[in-house]
Structure formats: structure tokens, C-alpha cells
């Protein structure tokens, strides 16, 4: 079947290459869905995994954000059947979705929202799971409004995770403050529901003070943990909580949080599948819950650009756009060019 393979860096291609190729059709195990891919989204994790490939190593299938149609199910699967439209992020330890078909553990998948296109649906699973786990599991906020009125600062509001986190937080009744600097990104986060927009190219404390705030109850950092560490420690309220998704480049000094009894949490969406936790199926439940919210009109897709078709050339364009660090929402690729393959 057709696939786009990531190959390691060489002197001629220091960032590696994405190449069109063919791989065998996968065979589903007892817990698997075999899904024919209709659309995929790109994420920074794709770039990081590609960059980590050792010289001379085998090509790898990247991509952990997709929507497609179930072709076959494993013997233990009861929640899905062939023909179902599904969306998922999956397991970073398995081959990705830059292929005509892929395998995903059924516990990590959900039924696609019926009111979204393939591309609109593919834009959401990885970032939405990340945002949901960060806000409602790591920060222990109530998704149904039990923390209404609490303040939440989202650092990196215009990116993929921030774009859906703003919507989830507003729906939960939180007072959402988001960072963005360019006119288009500031307009984007306001459109998604941010009450106020802070310019992350300028010091944040004075901007918060201008809003009548000296601290915030929760901080979700979806951008750069190191760059904002001291600022977050300064701005977090006593007994507040901070969550981050980007790994630190140097040790983090937790001492400034001690006097405030504030907590710090990491969020990594792939923890559940990587360690096959007892609650791994929670990701499937989250996706089903989110599908219902999207179908009700409470949430919208964060897709802002769609390339066609899925191939090495278009995926390279999408990766290059991510590297520039100026993407609003999510970049998606739709469909495989007929005929042949698959």
C-alpha cells in the first residue's frame, strides 16, 4: 500500500527526507482496528521523531492524527465495525498514519463527529486529547462548569493545542487569558473565545496587572516551558497549578512554587498507550464525549489549512510550515491521489 516514509538525515539532507513508498498492508491484532486513512494532520511530534532517527536506521512511518474508515476489526473489538468513520491519535510506539491504512488500538479511537468533514475531523484528535487531559486531568478543572469563574492563562493560544484548549476552557466557564503576538493570531484566539489576549513578546505581569490581576489560578503552557518558567512561578496563585507539554532543555527549579504550595504537571498524550495504563480506554471515551460536543455546536474544528493529496511533497510543505512556527490552529492533508496503490 502507498505510504510516505521518513528517512534519517544525511549530509545532503540534514533534516532528513520524506519519500513516497510502499509498505505491506498491516494485519490487525485482537484489540486493533484496521483503518483506511482519509485525512491526516501534522504535529510538532512528527518533526521531533523524524529528527531523532539515527543515521542509517530504517525509514519510519510518522503521523499520529487521523480520520478514516474501519476496514476490519480484531477479535476482541465490540465497539466498532467495518464501515465506521473513526478519528484517533493512537500510539507513538507504533507505525503512524502517513499510509493508506494503519492499525490503532480500538480503546484509543472514537467515532467521528457526524458534522465534520474528514479534514476537519483529522485536525483534532491529538491536540484535543492533549488539551482535555491537561485541563481536566492534570489541572483538575471541571469540564462541566464546577470551576466557573476561575482564571486560566494559556501560553501559546494560537497553536493546535491552544486553539482547542481555549474552546474547552470557555465551555467550562473559565476566565480565559491567552498569549499571541501577531495581529492574525490575536484575532484568532479572540474568535475562539479568549477574554483577553496578552502579547508574549512583551513581559506578561504588567499586562495581567492592566486587567486587574496579580496572579492566575491555573496556567497551561503549550509553547516553551523554559522560557516562561520564572514568569509562571511569579504569576501562579497560591495553591494554583501549572501544566506544560514541551520538555525542558534544562532542570526546572521547583523551589519558587514551594511557598505558594503550587503544583506543576507534565502532560504527554501518549503516556496512556505507551505504558498501556489500566485506563487506556479513557482516550476513546474522551473522543466520544468530544464528538457529541462538536455535533451540538459547542466546539469547532481548528483546521486552518488543507493540502491535497497526501504524498511526500505535500507533507513536506506541511512540515516546513510547522517549522516556521507561525501556524494558526492545525494543518491537514486530505486524500490519496488515485489511481494505483492502496
Amino acid at each position: 500500500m502507498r505510504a510516505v516514509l521518513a528517512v534519517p538525515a544525511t549530509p545532503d539532507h540534514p533534516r532528513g527526507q520524506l519519500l513516497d513508498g510502499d509498505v505491506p498492508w498491516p494485519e490487525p491484532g485482537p484489540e486493533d482496528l484496521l483503518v483506511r486513512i482519509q485525512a491526516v494532520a501534522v504535529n510538532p511530534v512528527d518533526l521531533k521523531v523524524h529528527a531523532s532517527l539515527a543515521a542509517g536506521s530504517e525509514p519510519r512511518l510518522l503521523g499520529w492524527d487521523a480520520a478514516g474508515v474501519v476496514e476490519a476489526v480484531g477479535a476482541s473489538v465490540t465497539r466498532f465495525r467495518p464501515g465506521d468513520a473513526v478519528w484517533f491519535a493512537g500510539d507513538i510506539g507504533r507505525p503512524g498514519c502517513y499510509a493508506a491504512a494503519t492499525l490503532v488500538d480500538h480503546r484509543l479511537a472514537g467515532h467521528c463527529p457526524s458534522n465534520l468533514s474528514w479534514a476537519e475531523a483529522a485536525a483534532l484528535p491529538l491536540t484535543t486529547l492533549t488539551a482535555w487531559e491537561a485541563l481536566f486531568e492534570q489541572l483538575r478543572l471541571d469540564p462541566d462548569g464546577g470551576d466557573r469563574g476561575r482564571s486560566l492563562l494559556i501560553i501559546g493560544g494560537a497553536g493546535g493545542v491552544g486553539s482547542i484548549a481555549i474552546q474547552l476552557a470557555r465551555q467550562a466557564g473559565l476566565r480565559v487569558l491567552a498569549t499571541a503576538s501577531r495581529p492574525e493570531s490575536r484575532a484568532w484566539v479572540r474568535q475562539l473565545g479568549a477574554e483577553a489576549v496578552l502579547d508574549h513578546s512583551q513581559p506578561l505581569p504588567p499586562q495581567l496587572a492592566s486587567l486587574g490581576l496579580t496572579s492566575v489560578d491555573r496556567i497551561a503552557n503549550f509553547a516553551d516551558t523554559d522560557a516562561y518558567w520564572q514568569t509562571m512561578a511569579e504569576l501562579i496563585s497560591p495553591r494554583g497549578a501549572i501544566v506544560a507539554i514541551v520538555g525542558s532543555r534544562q532542570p526546572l527549579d521547583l523551589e519558587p512554587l514551594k511557598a505558594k504550595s503550587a503544583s506543576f504537571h507534565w502532560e504527554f498524550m501518549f503516556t496512556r498507550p505507551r505504558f498501556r495504563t489500566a485506563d487506556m480506554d479513557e482516550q476513546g471515551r474522551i473522543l466520544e464525549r468530544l464528538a457529541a460536543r462538536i455535533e451540538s455546536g459547542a466546539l469547532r474544528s481548528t483546521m486552518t489549512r488543507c493540502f491535497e493529496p497526501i504524498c511526500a511533497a505535500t507533507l513536506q510543505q506541511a512540515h516546513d510550515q510547522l517549522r516556521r512556527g507561525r501556524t494558526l490552529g492545525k494543518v491537514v492533508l486530505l486524500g490519496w491521489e488515485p489511481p494505483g496503490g492502496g
Side-chain angles (χ1 to χ4, degrees), residues 43 78 101 117 185 230 242 279 335:
N43 292 283
T78 59
S117 68
S185 59
Q230 293 302 320
I242 302 167
D279 66 346

Side-chain angles (χ1 to χ4, degrees), residues 28-33 73-77 94 104-107 276:
E31 303 283 357
D32 287 334
L33 305 177
V73 302
S76 299
V77 177
R94 303 184 74 175
V104 62
D105 190 300
H106 71 102
R107 291 166 290 188
R276 303 191 69 79

Side-chain angles (χ1 to χ4, degrees), residues 155 214-216 219 225 228-238 242 253-258 260 262:
I155 298 173
T214 57
S215 64
V216 288
I219 299 175
T225 306
Y228 293 97
W229 184 253
Q230 293 302 320
T231 298
M232 293 192 297
E234 177 183 348
L235 293 179
I236 194 64
S237 297
I242 302 167
D253 180 12
L254 293 174
E255 188 63 25
L257 303 182
K258 182 178 183 298
K260 294 182 175 180

Side-chain angles (χ1 to χ4, degrees), residues 36-263:
R36 184 180 287 272
I37 299 299
Q38 301 294 325
V40 300
V42 295
N43 292 283
V45 68
D46 302 348
L47 307 183
K48 292 175 184 177
V49 173
H50 195 177
S52 73
L53 297 179
S57 63
E58 291 295 315
R60 182 161 184 196
L61 272 174
L62 306 177
W64 294 277
D65 227 0
V69 179
V70 176
E71 289 282 308
V73 302
S76 299
V77 177
T78 59
R79 194 161 58 93
F80 299 95
R81 61 185 180 183
D84 283 352
V86 295
W87 60 341
F88 56 90
D91 181 351
I92 199 171
R94 303 184 74 175
C97 57
Y98 289 3
T102 195
L103 298 177
V104 62
D105 190 300
H106 71 102
R107 291 166 290 188
L108 303 174
H111 293 86
C112 275
S114 59
N115 59 336
L116 295 187
S117 68
W118 289 119
E120 290 169 331
L124 290 170
L126 186 149
T127 52
T128 306
L129 286 167
T130 299
W132 184 281
E133 291 180 359
L135 298 180
F136 306 132
E137 296 181 0
Q138 310 301 355
L139 295 183
R140 299 185 180 180
L141 293 164
D142 183 352
D144 297 314
D147 292 298
R148 186 172 300 279
R150 285 185 180 272
S151 56
L152 169 69
L153 172 61
I154 296 178
I155 298 173
V161 180
S163 294
I164 191 65
I166 290 171
Q167 297 181 68
L168 291 171
R170 279 305 299 268
Q171 193 177 18
L174 301 175
R175 185 179 183 188
V176 181
L177 319 166
T179 71
S181 60
R182 293 175 289 130
E184 59 269 35
S185 59
R186 294 174 68 87
W188 172 253
V189 298
R190 282 194 179 279
Q191 185 183 101
L192 294 172
E195 173 186 322
V197 185
L198 284 64
D199 184 346
H200 54 241
S201 69
Q202 302 296 324
L204 297 182
Q207 297 179 71
L208 271 182
S210 70
L211 300 173
L213 293 170
T214 57
S215 64
V216 288
D217 298 313
R218 301 287 190 272
I219 299 175
N221 187 333
F222 301 136
D224 187 325
T225 306
D226 296 82
Y228 293 97
W229 184 253
Q230 293 302 320
T231 298
M232 293 192 297
E234 177 183 348
L235 293 179
I236 194 64
S237 297
R239 304 193 68 80
I242 302 167
V243 66
I245 66 171
V246 179
S248 59
R249 297 178 294 277
Q250 58 190 16
L252 300 175
D253 180 12
L254 293 174
E255 188 63 25
L257 303 182
K258 182 178 183 298
K260 294 182 175 180
S261 297
S263 59

Side-chain angles (χ1 to χ4, degrees), residues 252-300:
L252 300 175
D253 180 12
L254 293 174
E255 188 63 25
L257 303 182
K258 182 178 183 298
K260 294 182 175 180
S261 297
S263 59
F264 174 71
H265 308 263
W266 288 114
E267 163 56 26
F268 185 51
M269 190 227 75
F270 292 113
T271 295
R272 281 178 162 126
R274 178 178 179 179
F275 294 99
R276 303 191 69 79
T277 60
D279 66 346
M280 192 169 82
D281 59 351
E282 182 63 19
Q283 289 199 338
R285 287 194 289 269
I286 292 170
L287 288 173
E288 298 289 4
R289 187 172 183 176
L290 289 164
R293 293 190 178 204
I294 290 168
E295 289 171 349
S296 74
L299 300 173
R300 53 174 280 193

